[in-house]
Protein backbone atom coordinates (compact mmCIF):
# COMPACT_ATOMS: atom_id res chain seq x y z
CA UNK A 1 0.00 0.00 0.00
CA UNK A 2 2.56 2.60 1.15
CA UNK A 3 6.34 2.73 0.77
CA UNK A 4 8.52 1.14 3.41
CA UNK A 5 10.00 3.52 5.98
CA UNK A 6 13.43 3.34 4.35
CA UNK A 7 11.87 4.46 1.06
CA UNK A 8 10.55 7.69 2.58
CA UNK A 9 12.61 10.90 2.41
CA UNK A 10 13.58 11.74 5.98
CA UNK A 11 13.00 15.21 7.36
CA UNK A 12 15.65 17.57 8.74
CA UNK A 13 18.49 16.02 6.70
CA UNK A 14 18.98 18.86 4.24
CA UNK A 15 22.10 20.87 4.94
CA UNK A 16 23.03 24.16 3.30
CA UNK A 17 25.33 22.18 0.98
CA UNK A 18 22.37 19.99 -0.01
CA UNK A 19 20.58 23.13 -1.13
CA UNK A 20 23.26 25.13 -2.89
CA UNK A 21 25.97 22.71 -4.10
CA UNK A 22 24.67 21.11 -7.31
CA UNK A 23 25.83 17.99 -9.05
CA UNK A 24 27.85 18.47 -12.19
CA UNK A 25 26.90 18.57 -14.98
CA UNK A 26 23.82 20.59 -14.04
CA UNK A 27 21.66 18.41 -16.32
CA UNK A 28 21.68 15.83 -13.52
CA UNK A 29 19.66 18.21 -11.38
CA UNK A 30 16.76 18.17 -13.83
CA UNK A 31 15.95 14.53 -13.02
CA UNK A 32 14.55 13.08 -9.79
CA UNK A 33 17.12 11.42 -7.53
CA UNK A 34 14.47 9.17 -6.02
CA UNK A 35 14.15 5.83 -7.75
CA UNK A 36 10.46 6.49 -8.38
CA UNK A 37 9.80 3.33 -10.35
CA UNK A 38 11.06 1.22 -7.42
CA UNK A 39 8.76 2.75 -4.80
CA UNK A 40 5.66 0.64 -4.37
CA UNK A 41 2.17 2.00 -5.03
CA UNK A 42 -1.10 0.39 -6.16
CA UNK A 43 -1.73 1.04 -9.83
CA UNK A 44 -4.83 0.95 -11.99
CA UNK A 45 -4.77 -2.28 -14.00
CA UNK A 46 -6.99 -5.07 -15.27
CA UNK A 47 -7.39 -6.28 -11.70
CA UNK A 48 -7.84 -2.85 -10.08
CA UNK A 49 -10.13 -0.14 -11.43
CA UNK A 50 -9.76 3.51 -10.52
CA UNK A 51 -12.96 3.36 -8.47
CA UNK A 52 -11.53 0.44 -6.49
CA UNK A 53 -8.29 2.38 -6.06
CA UNK A 54 -10.18 5.29 -4.48
CA UNK A 55 -12.11 2.89 -2.24
CA UNK A 56 -8.78 1.38 -1.20
CA UNK A 57 -7.58 4.84 -0.21
CA UNK A 58 -10.73 5.99 1.58
CA UNK A 59 -11.06 2.75 3.54
CA UNK A 60 -7.38 2.17 4.11
CA UNK A 61 -6.66 -0.21 7.02
CA UNK A 62 -3.57 1.85 7.96
CA UNK A 63 -4.04 5.15 9.83
CA UNK A 64 -2.04 7.15 7.29
CA UNK A 65 -1.28 6.80 3.59
CA UNK A 66 1.70 8.52 2.03
CA UNK A 67 0.30 10.29 -1.07
CA UNK A 68 3.40 12.14 -2.20
CA UNK A 69 7.09 12.65 -1.59
CA UNK A 70 9.90 14.45 -3.40
CA UNK A 71 13.62 14.96 -2.98
CA UNK A 72 15.44 18.30 -2.76
CA UNK A 73 15.96 20.08 -6.08
CA UNK A 74 19.15 22.08 -5.68
CA UNK A 75 18.57 24.24 -8.75
CA UNK A 76 15.35 25.57 -7.18
CA UNK A 77 17.22 26.61 -4.06
CA UNK A 78 20.14 28.04 -6.06
CA UNK A 79 17.75 30.13 -8.15
CA UNK A 80 15.94 31.39 -5.05
CA UNK A 81 19.11 32.27 -3.17
CA UNK A 82 20.61 33.91 -6.27
CA UNK A 83 17.51 36.08 -6.68
CA UNK A 84 17.67 36.99 -2.99
CA UNK A 85 21.36 37.92 -3.20
CA UNK A 86 21.09 39.95 -6.42
CA UNK A 87 18.03 41.94 -5.33
CA UNK A 88 19.51 42.50 -1.86
CA UNK A 89 22.63 44.04 -3.40
CA UNK A 90 20.69 46.15 -5.91
CA UNK A 91 18.18 47.21 -3.29
CA UNK A 92 20.85 48.37 -0.82
CA UNK A 93 22.78 50.16 -3.58
CA UNK A 94 19.66 51.96 -4.75
CA UNK A 95 18.62 52.94 -1.22
CA UNK A 96 22.11 54.22 -0.41
CA UNK A 97 22.20 56.30 -3.61
CA UNK A 98 18.66 57.66 -3.19
CA UNK A 99 19.11 58.70 0.45
CA UNK A 100 22.50 60.25 -0.25
CA UNK A 101 21.05 62.25 -3.17
CA UNK A 102 18.11 63.37 -1.01
CA UNK A 103 20.48 64.61 1.70
CA UNK A 104 22.74 66.34 -0.85
CA UNK A 105 19.79 68.15 -2.49
CA UNK A 106 18.55 69.22 0.95
CA UNK A 107 22.00 70.38 2.03
CA UNK A 108 22.78 72.34 -1.12
CA UNK A 109 19.22 73.65 -1.53
CA UNK A 110 19.70 74.43 -5.21
CA UNK A 111 16.28 76.09 -5.55
CA UNK A 112 16.82 78.24 -2.45
CA UNK A 113 13.63 76.95 -0.81
CA UNK A 114 12.51 77.92 2.68
CA UNK A 115 13.83 75.55 5.35
CA UNK A 116 10.44 73.96 6.04
CA UNK A 117 9.73 73.33 2.34
CA UNK A 118 13.25 72.03 1.77
CA UNK A 119 12.88 69.59 4.69
CA UNK A 120 9.46 68.46 3.46
CA UNK A 121 10.85 67.73 -0.01
CA UNK A 122 13.74 65.76 1.48
CA UNK A 123 11.33 63.64 3.53
CA UNK A 124 9.16 63.07 0.45
CA UNK A 125 12.16 61.95 -1.58
CA UNK A 126 13.25 59.65 1.24
CA UNK A 127 9.79 58.08 1.54
CA UNK A 128 9.65 57.57 -2.24
CA UNK A 129 13.01 55.80 -2.10
CA UNK A 130 11.79 53.55 0.71
CA UNK A 131 8.61 52.77 -1.27
CA UNK A 132 10.68 51.72 -4.30
CA UNK A 133 13.03 49.77 -2.01
CA UNK A 134 10.00 47.74 -0.87
CA UNK A 135 9.86 46.07 -4.32
CA UNK A 136 13.25 44.31 -4.15
CA UNK A 137 12.61 43.61 -0.47
CA UNK A 138 9.40 41.77 -1.39
CA UNK A 139 11.27 39.76 -4.04
CA UNK A 140 13.99 38.83 -1.54
CA UNK A 141 11.46 37.71 1.08
CA UNK A 142 9.50 35.70 -1.51
CA UNK A 143 12.67 33.97 -2.74
CA UNK A 144 13.80 33.09 0.79
CA UNK A 145 10.34 31.87 1.83
CA UNK A 146 9.86 29.68 -1.25
CA UNK A 147 11.27 26.52 0.44
CA UNK A 148 8.78 26.88 3.28
CA UNK A 149 5.93 26.44 0.76
CA UNK A 150 7.51 23.46 -1.04
CA UNK A 151 5.94 20.18 0.12
CA UNK A 152 8.34 17.32 0.84
CA UNK A 153 5.81 14.68 1.87
CA UNK A 154 2.04 14.59 2.03
CA UNK A 155 -0.11 12.10 3.97
CA UNK A 156 -3.81 11.21 3.77
CA UNK A 157 -5.71 10.29 6.94
CA UNK A 158 -9.04 8.51 6.27
CA UNK A 159 -12.20 9.23 8.23
CA UNK A 160 -12.20 7.59 11.66
CA UNK A 161 -14.52 7.52 14.65
CA UNK A 162 -12.80 10.63 16.01
CA UNK A 163 -12.62 12.65 12.76
CA UNK A 164 -15.63 13.63 10.68
CA UNK A 165 -13.66 14.17 7.46
CA UNK A 166 -10.32 13.09 6.00
CA UNK A 167 -7.22 14.98 7.08
CA UNK A 168 -4.17 15.99 5.07
CA UNK A 169 -0.80 16.31 6.77
CA UNK A 170 2.25 17.53 4.90
CA UNK A 171 5.86 18.39 5.62
CA UNK A 172 7.58 21.41 4.09
CA UNK A 173 11.20 22.57 4.06
CA UNK A 174 12.39 24.62 7.03
CA UNK A 175 13.53 28.18 6.41
CA UNK A 176 16.92 27.38 7.97
CA UNK A 177 18.65 24.15 6.90
CA UNK A 178 19.18 21.44 9.51
CA UNK A 179 16.24 22.59 11.61
CA UNK A 180 12.99 20.72 12.17
CA UNK A 181 10.73 20.53 9.14
CA UNK A 182 7.35 22.24 9.72
CA UNK A 183 4.37 19.87 9.70
CA UNK A 184 0.93 21.21 8.70
CA UNK A 185 -2.34 19.34 9.27
CA UNK A 186 -5.55 20.50 7.59
CA UNK A 187 -8.99 19.05 6.85
CA UNK A 188 -9.24 17.90 3.23
CA UNK A 189 -12.06 20.40 2.61
CA UNK A 190 -9.63 23.26 3.35
CA UNK A 191 -7.39 22.46 0.36
CA UNK A 192 -8.04 22.62 -3.37
CA UNK A 193 -5.94 22.74 -6.52
CA UNK A 194 -7.73 25.73 -8.10
CA UNK A 195 -11.00 26.13 -9.95
CA UNK A 196 -9.91 26.09 -13.58
CA UNK A 197 -10.04 22.42 -14.60
CA UNK A 198 -8.15 22.97 -17.82
CA UNK A 199 -5.18 24.72 -16.21
CA UNK A 200 -5.03 23.16 -12.73
CA UNK A 201 -5.70 19.46 -13.33
CA UNK A 202 -2.99 17.25 -11.88
CA UNK A 203 -3.65 14.37 -14.30
CA UNK A 204 -1.93 14.86 -17.66
CA UNK A 205 -1.78 11.18 -18.77
CA UNK A 206 2.01 11.60 -19.23
CA UNK A 207 4.85 10.30 -17.12
CA UNK A 208 5.13 7.55 -14.54
CA UNK A 209 2.09 8.73 -12.58
CA UNK A 210 0.29 10.71 -15.26
CA UNK A 211 1.45 13.98 -13.70
CA UNK A 212 4.30 15.05 -16.01
CA UNK A 213 3.90 18.30 -17.90
CA UNK A 214 6.20 20.34 -20.15
CA UNK A 215 4.52 23.64 -19.33
CA UNK A 216 3.69 23.25 -15.63
CA UNK A 217 6.45 22.11 -13.29
CA UNK A 218 4.38 22.42 -10.12
CA UNK A 219 0.97 21.66 -8.69
CA UNK A 220 -0.44 24.39 -6.45
CA UNK A 221 -2.62 23.58 -3.44
CA UNK A 222 -4.55 26.52 -2.06
CA UNK A 223 -5.64 26.68 1.54
CA UNK A 224 -9.07 28.18 2.05
CA UNK A 225 -8.76 31.87 2.87
CA UNK A 226 -5.19 32.18 1.56
CA UNK A 227 -3.88 33.21 -1.86
CA UNK A 228 -0.37 31.91 -1.21
CA UNK A 229 -0.22 28.31 -2.43
CA UNK A 230 1.56 25.24 -1.18
CA UNK A 231 3.78 23.88 -3.95
CA UNK A 232 4.11 20.29 -5.17
CA UNK A 233 6.75 19.17 -7.67
CA UNK A 234 5.24 17.18 -10.54
CA UNK A 235 8.42 15.07 -10.71
CA UNK A 236 7.86 13.59 -7.26
CA UNK A 237 6.43 10.22 -6.24
CA UNK A 238 2.62 9.96 -6.24
CA UNK A 239 0.40 7.29 -4.67
CA UNK A 240 -1.73 5.67 -7.39
CA UNK A 241 -1.74 8.34 -10.10
CA UNK A 242 -2.60 11.98 -10.67
CA UNK A 243 -6.35 11.32 -10.86
CA UNK A 244 -6.35 10.62 -7.12
CA UNK A 245 -5.31 14.24 -6.55
CA UNK A 246 -8.00 15.52 -8.90
CA UNK A 247 -10.63 13.71 -6.83
CA UNK A 248 -9.22 14.80 -3.47
CA UNK A 249 -8.12 18.36 -4.23
CA UNK A 250 -10.01 19.11 -7.44
CA UNK A 251 -13.29 17.89 -5.90
CA UNK A 252 -14.01 15.89 -9.06
CA UNK A 253 -16.27 12.89 -8.91
CA UNK A 254 -14.70 9.46 -9.24
CA UNK A 255 -16.70 8.91 -12.44
CA UNK A 256 -15.35 12.15 -13.94
CA UNK A 257 -11.75 11.37 -13.02
CA UNK A 258 -12.13 7.80 -14.27
CA UNK A 259 -12.56 9.14 -17.81
CA UNK A 260 -8.86 10.01 -17.80
CA UNK A 261 -9.27 13.42 -19.44
CA UNK A 262 -6.33 15.75 -19.01
CA UNK A 263 -6.37 19.52 -18.65
CA UNK A 264 -5.47 19.89 -22.33
CA UNK A 265 -8.45 17.68 -23.20
CA UNK A 266 -10.78 19.97 -21.25
CA UNK A 267 -9.32 23.08 -22.87
CA UNK A 268 -9.70 21.54 -26.32
CA UNK A 269 -13.30 20.45 -25.57
CA UNK A 270 -14.15 23.94 -24.30
CA UNK A 271 -12.69 25.54 -27.44
CA UNK A 272 -14.71 23.19 -29.66
CA UNK A 273 -17.87 23.90 -27.65
CA UNK A 274 -17.44 27.66 -27.95
CA UNK A 275 -16.64 27.35 -31.65
CA UNK A 276 -19.83 25.33 -32.17
CA UNK A 277 -21.96 27.84 -30.22
CA UNK A 278 -20.51 30.74 -32.23
CA UNK A 279 -21.39 28.97 -35.48
CA UNK A 280 -24.93 28.25 -34.27
CA UNK A 281 -25.30 31.85 -33.12
CA UNK A 282 -24.33 33.16 -36.56
CA UNK A 283 -26.82 30.81 -38.22
CA UNK A 284 -29.68 32.00 -36.00
CA UNK A 285 -28.82 35.68 -36.50
CA UNK A 286 -28.56 35.19 -40.24
CA UNK A 287 -31.95 33.48 -40.29
CA UNK A 288 -33.45 36.29 -38.18
CA UNK A 289 -34.40 33.93 -35.36
CA UNK A 290 -34.19 34.91 -31.67
CA UNK A 291 -31.22 33.63 -29.70
CA UNK A 292 -31.77 31.26 -26.76
CA UNK A 293 -31.19 32.91 -23.36
CA UNK A 294 -28.04 30.88 -22.71
CA UNK A 295 -26.46 32.18 -25.95
CA UNK A 296 -27.33 35.78 -25.10
CA UNK A 297 -25.86 35.55 -21.59
CA UNK A 298 -22.66 33.66 -22.50
CA UNK A 299 -19.63 35.76 -23.41
CA UNK A 300 -17.89 33.88 -26.20
CA UNK A 301 -15.13 36.44 -26.60
CA UNK A 302 -13.45 35.76 -23.26
Amino acid sequence: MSPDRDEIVEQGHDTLADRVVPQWPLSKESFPTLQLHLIRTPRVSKNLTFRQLMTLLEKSPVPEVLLYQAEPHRLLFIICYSFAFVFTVYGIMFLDWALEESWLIYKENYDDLPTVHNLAFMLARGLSALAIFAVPTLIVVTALMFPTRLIRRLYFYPVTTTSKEPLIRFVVYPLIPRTSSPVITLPLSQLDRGKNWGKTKVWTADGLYGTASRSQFFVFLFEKGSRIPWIVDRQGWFWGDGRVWDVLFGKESVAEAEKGLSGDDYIRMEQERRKFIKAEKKKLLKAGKPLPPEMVEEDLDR
Side-chain angles (χ1 to χ4, degrees):
M1 281 292 298
S2 293
D4 296 328
R5 284 292 173 183
D6 58 1
E7 294 176 328
I8 299 174
V9 179
E10 293 297 334
Q11 64 177 347
H13 285 209
D14 57 310
T15 64
L16 183 61
D18 292 329
R19 295 189 179 191
V20 299
V21 181
Q23 299 181 49
W24 302 98
L26 288 178
S27 58
K28 290 184 178 180
E29 292 293 349
S30 62
F31 298 97
T33 56
L34 285 176
Q35 297 295 316
L36 300 182
H37 64 285
L38 298 180
I39 303 178
R40 296 175 297 130
T41 179
R43 306 297 293 268
V44 174
S45 62
K46 294 180 180 179
N47 301 322
L48 183 67
T49 65
F50 180 72
R51 188 175 295 274
Q52 291 172 332
L53 180 71
M54 290 304 303
T55 302
L56 200 63
L57 176 64
E58 293 167 357
K59 298 182 179 180
S60 173
V62 296
E64 67 176 19
V65 179
L66 181 67
L67 285 185
Y68 166 84
Q69 68 171 330
E71 78 292 340
H73 284 266
R74 293 178 182 85
L75 287 184
L76 292 178
F77 292 113
I78 291 173
I79 291 171
C80 287
Y81 294 153
S82 297
F83 263 96
F85 175 76
V86 169
F87 280 94
T88 297
V89 172
Y90 278 119
I92 293 175
M93 289 176 61
F94 166 78
L95 189 62
D96 177 68
W97 170 81
L99 294 181
E100 184 178 355
E101 284 294 310
S102 297
W103 170 251
L104 182 62
I105 293 173
Y106 169 77
K107 184 179 179 181
E108 297 295 335
N109 194 9
Y110 300 110
D111 296 327
D112 197 24
L113 297 173
T115 303
V116 175
H117 291 175
N118 196 22
L119 180 62
F121 279 121
M122 184 192 72
L123 293 175
R125 285 189 290 267
L127 291 175
S128 299
L130 290 175
I132 297 174
F133 178 70
V135 176
T137 301
L138 179 61
I139 295 175
V140 170
V141 172
T142 301
L144 293 177
M145 293 299 292
F146 179 85
T148 67
R149 309 300 295 187
L150 191 62
I151 296 178
R152 306 182 71 180
R153 294 191 307 283
L154 186 144
Y155 295 92
F156 174 84
Y157 291 80
V159 176
T160 62
T161 54
T162 57
S163 61
K164 295 182 180 179
E165 66 172 304
L167 299 176
I168 298 295
R169 177 171 293 170
F170 52 91
V171 181
V172 296
Y173 286 94
L175 178 61
I176 302 174
R178 275 294 187 183
T179 58
S180 299
S181 298
V183 180
I184 295 92
T185 303
L186 295 169
L188 177 60
S189 60
Q190 296 294 309
L191 289 169
D192 67 70
R193 46 133 221 231
K195 306 303 181 184
N196 189 321
W197 282 22
K199 295 182 179 179
T200 63
K201 273 185 72 72
V202 180
W203 173 258
T204 62
D206 293 326
L208 200 57
Y209 306 108
T211 58
S213 174
R214 293 182 179 180
S215 59
Q216 299 175 344
F217 302 108
F218 302 110
V219 173
F220 298 108
L221 294 182
F222 293 89
E223 184 180 348
K224 187 173 291 185
S226 175
R227 294 184 178 182
I228 304 175
W230 301 102
I231 304 168
V232 173
D233 191 341
R234 284 183 175 271
Q235 288 190 330
W237 175 89
F238 289 79
W239 186 91
D241 59 45
R243 291 175 292 178
V244 174
W245 283 56
D246 286 324
V247 172
L248 295 178
F249 303 110
K251 317 307 178 188
E252 292 184 15
S253 66
V254 174
E256 186 68 32
E258 203 168 16
K259 296 177 182 177
L261 297 175
S262 66
D264 290 339
D265 293 330
Y266 277 105
I267 292 174
R268 186 162 47 252
M269 290 166 59
E270 176 64 13
Q271 290 174 344
E272 292 175 355
R273 185 189 71 84
R274 296 168 74 83
K275 186 177 179 180
F276 173 77
I277 292 177
K278 275 188 175 182
E280 290 297 310
K281 189 174 181 179
K282 286 182 179 179
K283 287 181 182 179
L284 291 175
L285 290 174
K286 190 174 182 180
K289 297 180 180 179
L291 297 176
E294 58 270 17
M295 283 191 180
V296 175
E297 295 175 1
E298 186 169 10
D299 182 10
L300 299 175
D301 296 323
R302 289 180 299 176

